[in-house]
Amino acid sequence: MPHSVAVTILQTSDLHGFIYPTDYRSPGNKPLGMAKLAGIIRKERSLDPSLLLIDNGDWLQGSPLMSRYANGAGNGTHPAARALKTLRYDAAVIGNHEFNYGLGLLSDVMEQSSCPWLSANIVRESDGQPAFGQPYRIFEMREGIRIAVLGVTTPFVPNWERPSHIEGLAFHDALSAAQRWITHIREYERPDAVIVSYHGGFERSLSTGEATEPLTGENQGYEMCIRLEGMDVLLTGHQHRLIAGELNGVTIAQPGYAGQALAKIGLTFDLAADGRWTLRHKAAELLMVEEDTEPECELMDMFAEDERLTQQWLDQPIGIAEGDLTIADPFAARQTDHAFTEFVNRVQMETMDAPISCASIFTDEARGFDKEITMRDVVSNYMYPNTLKVIRLMGRDIREALEQNARYFELDERTGGLRISTAYLEPKPQHFNYDMWEGIEYMLDISQPEGQRVVKLLWNGEPMEQDASFEVAMNSYRAGGGGNFDMMKDKPVVREVTTDMAEIIADYIRKHGTVRAACDHNWKVVG
C-alpha cells in the first residue's frame, strides 16, 4: 500500500443551462459552456480516473435552451440530467434557480439523473427531515480513503421564489445546518476529509473581512470558513465569481458562471502508523475555458437538435420597433428616462392595470430592440424567469425604495461626474438591483447624503403623500424584497400573474405588431 495518495475533486457551478459555447446574444465561439468544460473534465480523468465530479447548483435555468424545454417545447430526458449522466457526475447540489420551474420539473430531473442531489438545510415542513433524500454522501476513494461531501443551499430562496414552487419546504440557516451535519459526519462516518458544497457565496471581503453586502444570510461562506469545525474544503457558487485559494485554513473555490471555468481541488493523504489516512496537503485552482478550448463532440452531437430548435425559436421575428428602442449606453440609460425602460414599465402597467411600475436594465450587455424584434432580443434583455406582481406601497415606501436606488451611484472625485457604486460592482455586478420608475416624477441628487437624495417626488403633479397608498407593478424578485429592498417585503399583493415576464413582453409585441418608442422624461439622476 502506498504511503501517500492524491485525490482530485472537480467542481462546476452556476452553469445555468449553457451547454453549447454560445451566449445566445450573438453568433460566435464563446469561452463558456458545458461542452467545453467536458473536454477539460475528460483530460483530468485521464490523469486521475477516480476523481470526484460535483456540481454546485443552478443548472436548470438561465439559457434559452433550458427555458424553451421548461416551457413545454422539450421532451424526453431533461438536458441537465442527460449532461450529468453522460459526464458521470458523482453528486449535484440544489441551487436557488432549481426551483424556478416548479417542484415537478425538479423532481423529474432528479429521477432522471444518475447522481444524488444533496441539500442538508432544505427540509420538509411536515417533519423537518431532509426534503431531497441524502444531505451528504460518503465516497470510497483509492486505498480506502473516505471523502464526505455535504450539500447546502442558500436559505434565501423563499425571498425570491413563487410560494407554489416551494410548497411544503422549509429552508434552514445554512451555517447552523452545515455544522450540525459536519458534527454528525465526523462522529458516525469518520471520513478522511469533509467537503462542503454550498450553493452560496461570500458575504465579506476575503482579504479584509469587511462586509461586502448586508448580512442577510443569503451568503455565509466567509462565516462558514471562520466558524465551522471539521470542514476541510468549501466549494461555493451563486455569486458567479472566480475564486481559488484558502481562507482560515479552509480551501475554497468558485468557478464563475455559465461554464467559464472548472474548479480543481487537490488533496494529498499520508498513511499514518495507526493505519489511518491523514490529510497533509490541499490546494485549489481554476481551469479556465478559452476561446480555443475544443468542445467535447459527444455533448455537441447529443444536444445538436435541441440547439438547432432553440436557435430557430430565438430567430423568430415577433414585431417591429418604430423609433429608437436601442440601448447604446446602459449607464447613461440608468441616469435619465429611456425609451426601452419606459416600454418595459408600460408593458407591466398595462398587463397588471397598475398606475405605477418599476423595472431594471439587468446587465450591461442589454441592448434593447432593433427595428425587427425577435425572441432573441427579448430573452437577451430579460433573461430571468420573473413573474409580475402588483403590491400596495405607502408613499414613504416608494421614497425609501428610491433612496435605495440612489445608492447605485456615487460621485467620481476625479471627474466630478457620476459612477457606479463599488457595492454594485463587487463582489459581482448587480445592475439588476437598480430600478427605474414610471407613473411618478422624481429626481435623485447624488451630491446629497445617503437617505436624503430624493429631492423631488411627485404623484399627479403634486408632492407624494407619505401616508397615501399606491398600487405598484414590479417583478416577483423585487416584490419579495430581493436586492435589499426590505420596504417591499411582505407588502399586500393586490394582483399577480404566473407567466414569465419574457413571455409577457413577447406576447405584448405580437399582439401590437408594432411598438413605438416613447419617453416622457419623468425622472433623472443628477450629481
Side-chain angles (χ1 to χ4, degrees):
M1 181 180 290
H3 292 285
S4 182
V5 171
V7 173
T8 301
I9 295 96
L10 301 180
Q11 176 215 7
T12 57
S13 189
D14 297 271
L15 287 162
H16 286 283
F18 284 87
I19 297 173
Y20 266 57
T22 175
D23 60 9
Y24 292 100
R25 292 187 176 93
S26 59
N29 179 30
K30 302 295 192 300
L32 54 80
M34 189 70 249
K36 286 198 170 189
L37 284 182
I40 302 176
I41 292 169
R42 177 171 50 81
K43 180 179 178 181
E44 290 297 317
R45 273 218 171 93
S46 71
L47 301 174
D48 182 1
S50 63
L51 61 78
L52 286 180
L53 178 58
I54 300 166
D55 184 73
N56 192 56
D58 280 5
W59 234 117
L60 307 187
Q61 175 278 334
S63 74
L65 188 150
M66 288 293 173
S67 60
R68 181 179 170 276
Y69 183 97
N71 289 318
N75 52 57
T77 303
H78 191 280
R82 277 185 272 164
L84 289 168
K85 184 177 294 186
T86 300
L87 295 173
R88 300 179 0 239
Y89 272 79
D90 294 289
V93 173
I94 297 170
N96 54 292
H97 284 288
E98 258 64 78
F99 298 98
N100 286 166
Y101 299 113
L103 288 173
L105 185 138
L106 175 55
S107 297
D108 288 345
V109 175
M110 288 180 171
E111 290 177 8
Q112 295 165 359
S113 302
S114 57
C115 65
W117 287 70
L118 310 176
S119 186
N121 65 314
I122 305 177
V123 302
R124 295 188 296 262
E125 285 184 332
S126 58
D127 58 11
Q129 295 301 304
F132 299 104
Q134 293 177 303
Y136 68 91
R137 187 72 175 261
I138 302 295
F139 294 95
E140 297 278 351
M141 310 298 289
R142 287 184 295 146
E143 311 300 340
I145 292 173
R146 290 164 56 82
I147 305 289
V149 177
L150 173 68
V152 194
T153 305
T154 175
F156 229 56
V157 175
N159 291 276
W160 308 312
E161 195 53 69
R162 304 182 208 177
S164 61
H165 287 179
I166 54 175
E167 188 174 358
L169 301 179
F171 294 77
H172 289 176
D173 177 73
L175 178 71
S176 57
Q179 186 60 79
R180 184 170 65 255
W181 281 103
I182 290 171
T183 301
H184 171 89
I185 291 167
R186 286 289 187 187
E187 182 176 354
Y188 293 100
E189 303 287 0
R190 300 184 65 80
D192 300 300
V194 172
I195 297 170
V196 175
S197 188
Y198 165 51
H199 189 82
F202 297 95
E203 72 281 26
R204 296 181 182 272
S205 165
L206 299 179
S207 57
T208 68
E210 294 181 2
T212 55
E213 60 184 51
L215 302 180
T216 60
E218 176 182 350
N219 297 298
Q220 297 173 284
Y222 191 95
E223 193 175 7
M224 286 181 175
C225 290
I226 300 301
R227 292 180 54 188
L228 288 183
E229 297 180 4
M231 174 177 66
D232 299 299
V233 177
L234 180 64
L235 305 178
T236 64
H238 186 56
Q239 291 175 317
H240 301 178
R241 300 168 67 185
L242 294 166
I243 298 171
E246 186 174 287
L247 177 61
N248 194 37
V250 178
T251 300
I252 59 174
Q254 189 173 143
Y257 162 76
Q260 292 174 295
L262 184 71
K264 179 180 179 180
I265 311 295
L267 306 178
T268 303
F269 296 86
D270 287 346
L271 187 63
D274 62 1
R276 288 184 58 83
W277 291 99
T278 301
L279 180 57
R280 173 173 58 84
H281 178 75
K282 51 186 180 171
E285 62 178 310
L286 296 179
L287 307 178
M288 300 299 299
V289 168
E290 309 291 347
E291 286 191 13
D292 61 356
T293 302
E294 285 295 322
E296 190 78 353
C297 291
E298 183 179 8
L299 250 66
M300 296 288 280
D301 292 344
M302 178 181 296
F303 293 102
E305 183 64 7
D306 301 84
E307 183 67 15
R308 185 188 70 80
L309 293 172
T310 299
Q311 294 288 354
Q312 181 178 308
W313 172 68
L314 289 171
D315 286 331
Q316 294 177 43
I318 59 174
I320 300 295
E322 186 178 282
D324 188 2
L325 281 168
T326 62
I327 303 173
D329 182 347
F331 184 59
R334 296 185 182 107
Q335 296 177 58
T336 188
D337 198 14
H338 186 279
F340 181 78
T341 49
E342 176 140 338
F343 165 75
V344 174
N345 272 316
R346 292 292 178 188
V347 171
Q348 293 185 173
M349 293 162 79
E350 289 186 29
T351 301
M352 303 303 290
D353 190 25
I356 302 174
S357 172
C358 61
S360 302
I361 297 174
F362 288 134
T363 72
D364 273 352
E365 288 70 45
R367 289 295 176 262
F369 296 152
D370 290 322
K371 183 173 182 179
E372 182 180 76
I373 307 172
T374 66
M375 276 302 300
R376 190 184 305 278
D377 297 318
V378 174
V379 300
S380 293
N381 287 282
Y382 213 111
M383 68 289 296
Y384 299 114
N386 296 325
T387 56
L388 280 182
K389 291 188 177 183
V390 174
I391 63 174
R392 183 171 290 112
L393 297 176
M394 306 297 286
R396 68 176 66 90
D397 298 321
I398 294 175
R399 178 176 288 274
E400 189 179 348
L402 292 172
E403 290 288 357
Q404 177 64 28
N405 283 321
R407 292 182 172 89
Y408 178 81
F409 299 99
E410 62 186 17
L411 293 179
D412 188 325
E413 295 176 0
R414 182 177 58 85
T415 66
L418 297 177
R419 66 185 180 193
I420 302 170
S421 298
T422 303
Y424 284 80
L425 295 174
E426 298 176 1
K428 70 171 184 177
Q430 297 183 53
H431 306 298
F432 51 83
N433 282 330
Y434 169 73
D435 293 327
M436 291 147 284
W437 290 62
E438 193 61 40
I440 58 176
E441 296 176 57
Y442 66 95
M443 182 188 299
L444 307 179
D445 185 350
I446 309 306
S447 68
Q448 300 300 310
E450 285 192 5
Q452 301 175 37
R453 291 174 170 176
V454 180
V455 295
K456 174 184 175 183
L457 177 55
L458 305 179
W459 163 253
N460 288 337
E462 299 292 333
M464 178 173 280
E465 296 182 16
Q466 298 302 289
D467 295 326
S469 67
F470 302 88
E471 293 184 0
V472 184
M474 64 188 69
N475 67 55
S476 51
Y477 169 74
R478 187 70 76 240
N484 304 318
F485 284 81
D486 290 344
M487 74 295 298
M488 310 286 199
K489 192 174 180 181
D490 298 324
K491 289 298 190 288
V493 176
V494 182
R495 289 179 293 282
E496 62 182 309
V497 295
T498 58
T499 306
D500 288 356
M501 185 60 186
E503 279 301 313
I504 290 173
I505 293 173
D507 289 344
Y508 182 95
I509 296 169
R510 291 189 190 100
K511 177 182 176 181
H512 290 81
T514 298
V515 294
R516 293 171 177 82
C519 189
D520 61 5
H521 303 287
N522 64 301
W523 66 270
K524 64 180 178 179
V525 181
V526 299

